[in-house]
Amino acid sequence: MADRLFNKIAVITGASSGIGRSIAEFYLNEGAKVVAFSRRSDPLEELETRFPARTLIVDGDVTDAADLRRLVEVTQRRFGRVDILVPNAGMARVISFEESSREAVNETFDVNFHGAMQTVRTFLPHLNEGSAVIFITTFLTQVGFPGLAAYSASKAALKSLSQTLAAELGPRGIRVNSIAPGPITTPLWESAGLSAEQHAKVTENVTNRLIPQAFGKPENIAEVAVFLASDAAHNIYGQEIVVDGGYTVG
């Protein structure tokens, strides 16, 4: 443990698996106190067992305003402040353009965009001067990928929001940045709605385009999330760091 985040209070949504879970663990290993918010708390119990004094697990849904208010209340009651906010909760569904009904698109935007935006807005009165907000976008805002119009558009909106909030909240001492993961081995990728055959074909095609010839790991994103939350990134505002194994370079 390097203690780069010693005694900082971090709130992470979508923390039960994948990137969110990895960020929570990395933050705890760096000395932070972590509030892990998720619709499923069981996968987080191991973290609470390892770091009982520095971990708070909260059940809830980012699309529910009452759940977000409760998250703020219990965070304030337990730790008294917030230094790092990672609105990570997200969803991905492969939906053809023909099937991209308003309802299907709204479902994606409700979680990926509105959920993240309202998480920050709800916490805004409680973010310390010098705090960091880190959005999770995607490399797919830079390249096209069939069947992911709604997902990519929701993340593109989130990227724009990150840049706007960096300018708007920066004078208040709040740094806002984002991380754009490339192909990462997470449950999100597994649950995108592809058949086993489609999944295998897409995985092969994507892997062939990656410089390391392998999907990234959630830990690759967590390492960047530690940096952006640390004092080493104190002069970085409104940037999106792409962690994609070289997918978008050619």
Side-chain angles (χ1 to χ4, degrees):
M1 183 169 69
D3 284 345
R4 285 177 288 177
L5 304 178
F6 179 72
N7 208 35
K8 290 184 181 290
I9 311 302
V11 178
I12 304 161
T13 68
S16 63
S17 65
I19 290 171
R21 165 59 187 259
S22 189
I23 291 174
E25 185 162 8
F26 270 58
Y27 280 6
L28 286 164
N29 284 331
E30 291 288 346
K33 299 173 183 177
V34 170
V35 181
F37 183 74
S38 176
R39 290 182 297 179
R40 299 182 301 118
S41 61
D42 291 352
L44 292 164
E45 291 176 357
E46 186 266 340
L47 283 184
E48 190 175 39
T49 299
R50 286 166 54 196
F51 305 96
R54 294 193 284 118
T55 305
L56 173 63
I57 300 173
V58 183
D59 293 316
D61 190 322
V62 295
T63 66
D64 188 316
D67 282 357
L68 289 178
R69 289 193 296 269
R70 178 169 50 84
L71 175 61
V72 170
E73 290 168 3
V74 297
T75 299
Q76 288 297 108
R77 188 160 57 244
R78 174 72 177 269
F79 295 123
R81 70 178 197 275
V82 178
D83 303 302
I84 306 162
L85 180 59
V86 185
N88 163 75
M91 63 169 290
R93 295 285 185 274
V94 175
I95 309 170
S96 69
F97 182 67
E98 290 84 355
E99 296 175 338
S100 293
S101 65
R102 182 179 293 271
E103 290 75 20
V105 174
N106 283 347
E107 180 186 21
T108 299
F109 267 78
D110 279 347
V111 177
N112 293 350
F113 179 72
H114 293 294
M117 181 178 185
Q118 296 307 322
T119 297
V120 178
R121 195 176 70 86
T122 306
F123 270 98
L124 187 56
H126 308 281
L127 290 174
N128 274 345
E129 183 174 350
S131 61
V133 175
I134 303 168
F135 289 106
I136 306 299
T137 58
T138 178
F139 76 117
L140 294 172
T141 63
Q142 301 186 33
V143 295
F145 206 93
L148 290 175
Y151 175 78
S152 300
S154 71
K155 292 294 191 174
L158 199 60
K159 175 182 178 179
S160 180
L161 175 67
S162 173
Q163 294 169 324
T164 301
L165 292 186
E168 185 169 335
L169 303 182
R172 297 172 55 168
I174 300 171
R175 291 188 300 107
V176 183
N177 292 286
S178 61
I179 305 171
I184 302 290
T185 303
T186 72
L188 188 70
W189 177 260
E190 301 288 342
S191 64
L194 295 171
S195 68
E197 183 179 355
Q198 290 172 322
H199 186 273
K201 184 62 175 177
V202 170
T203 298
E204 180 184 2
N205 290 341
V206 170
T207 300
N208 288 337
R209 186 164 167 171
L210 299 174
I211 291 174
Q213 291 290 286
F215 274 46
K217 299 178 181 178
E219 293 86 345
N220 301 144
I221 310 305
E223 289 168 346
V224 179
V226 169
F227 166 69
L228 284 177
S230 74
D231 293 338
H234 72 277
N235 202 34
I236 300 177
Y237 294 84
Q239 300 303 304
E240 182 184 61
I241 299 180
V242 181
V243 187
D244 70 347
Y247 189 100
T248 56
V249 300

